[in-house]
Amino acid sequence: MKKLIISGGRGFLGSLLTDYFGNSFGEIVLLSRKQKPQHNNVRTVLWDAKTFSGWEREFEDADVVINMAGRSVDCRYNQKNKDLIMNSRVDTTTIIGKAIAQCKNPPSTWLNSSTATIYRHSLDKEMTERTGEIGTGFSVSVAKAWEDALFSSTTPQTRKIALRTSIVLGKNGGALQPIKKITQLGLGGKQGDGKQKFSWIHEEDFLRSLDFLINHSHIKGPINIVAPKPTTNAHLMSIDA
């Protein structure tokens, strides 16, 4: 394929995607607030994720868009941060939809981040795309608004997939690092009774999942990006890493 656009490409997952798809596309464009020197077939285009400023022209004749942009949830949930978490996801998705809508030759595929946290807390059943039960609370509200922004956009020529991703575990970033650090400091062990379910996916499986979705054009809608079976908090914290 010719061209891949990644928004949020400077974060943990964006960096993984850039490396993984480096040989699959002739050109990779990262949409970012900070400029980064061009490296091989990867270049950065500046944007503010809210308004058009020229970056939107990159979507013409692009093949695939992967939107990973959004304020980190690794913060205190005060009102200011909650607003940033919500608005950064909805605003980014909305403006990408507008950029695609104005293309004469739009991307064929748009993968947009979502979260497996959209489902209710469950100890009694696993949640699938068809039978999963949507939960309540702030994180669920973010997920619902995020997906609404994706699927309400008018992009009839572009296949859209909401990536209901669980916690991605990798060696060099993401959620595993703080878990490992506090354990090394002697603050590990299970929390409470340890029966809480922990849905996760390895970084390599995350990348292969997106590759699979890109190359199977009949798939669309919300897709769970998770390992086949969740573990528990007690089992996770007992593993010798």
Side-chain angles (χ1 to χ4, degrees):
M1 286 177 280
K2 296 178 295 182
K3 187 175 183 180
L4 167 65
I5 297 176
I6 304 175
S7 57
R10 292 173 63 90
F12 167 57
L13 297 182
S15 297
L16 291 175
L17 290 166
T18 302
D19 292 340
Y20 182 85
F21 286 111
N23 295 325
S24 300
F25 291 85
E27 182 180 16
I28 297 178
V29 175
L30 306 180
L31 299 181
S32 176
R33 289 182 171 86
K34 295 182 179 180
Q35 190 59 261
K36 186 177 182 180
Q38 182 166 340
H39 179 67
N40 295 329
N41 62 335
V42 182
R43 61 185 174 89
T44 301
V45 174
L46 296 179
W47 76 329
D48 66 359
K50 294 181 179 180
T51 56
F52 289 161
S53 59
W55 59 264
E56 67 278 5
R57 292 192 291 270
E58 297 289 343
F59 285 74
E60 191 70 56
D61 297 319
D63 296 289
V64 178
V65 176
I66 304 177
N67 176 28
M68 308 300 296
R71 168 70 157 85
S72 172
V73 297
D74 185 14
C75 60
R76 293 185 180 275
Y77 273 24
N78 55 41
Q79 192 58 51
K80 178 182 178 181
N81 286 338
K82 288 169 71 174
D83 290 344
L84 287 170
I85 289 168
M86 173 70 82
N87 295 337
S88 63
R89 285 158 174 74
V90 173
D91 290 349
T92 302
T93 304
T94 299
I95 199 67
I96 287 175
K98 292 179 179 179
I100 293 174
Q102 69 176 12
C103 290
K104 293 181 180 179
N105 184 30
S108 61
T109 301
W110 175 10
L111 307 182
N112 204 81
S113 285
S114 181
T115 172
T117 309
I118 197 169
Y119 301 114
R120 69 170 174 85
H121 174 70
S122 174
L123 296 176
D124 58 287
K125 62 177 287 187
E126 296 177 11
M127 302 293 175
T128 72
E129 298 91 338
R130 292 185 176 86
T131 64
E133 299 168 7
I134 305 302
T136 59
F138 171 70
S139 295
V140 174
S141 297
V142 171
K144 291 168 64 177
W146 210 353
E147 293 190 5
D148 286 345
L150 171 66
F151 293 120
S152 65
S153 60
T154 306
T155 56
Q157 299 180 66
T158 301
R159 175 172 61 111
K160 293 180 286 195
I161 297 175
L163 304 170
R164 292 182 176 174
T165 307
S166 59
I167 297 172
V168 181
L169 300 180
K171 291 183 178 179
N172 299 313
L176 183 60
Q177 303 313 305
I179 294 174
K180 185 176 180 179
K181 185 174 181 179
I182 63 172
T183 302
Q184 291 172 331
L185 292 172
L187 300 173
K190 67 182 183 180
Q191 284 78 54
D193 62 15
K195 295 180 180 180
Q196 309 94 308
K197 297 297 182 181
F198 184 88
S199 294
W200 62 283
I201 187 167
H202 187 275
E203 59 184 4
E204 190 68 24
D205 290 326
F206 168 79
L207 296 168
R208 290 173 178 171
S209 295
L210 270 60
D211 196 358
F212 181 89
L213 293 173
I214 290 171
N215 288 289
H216 288 74
S217 58
H218 65 285
I219 302 175
K220 60 182 179 179
I223 298 294
N224 291 347
I225 309 295
V226 297
K229 293 290 183 180
T231 187
T232 63
N233 170 257
H235 182 254
L236 173 73
M237 300 308 294
S238 70
I239 297 173
D240 183 3

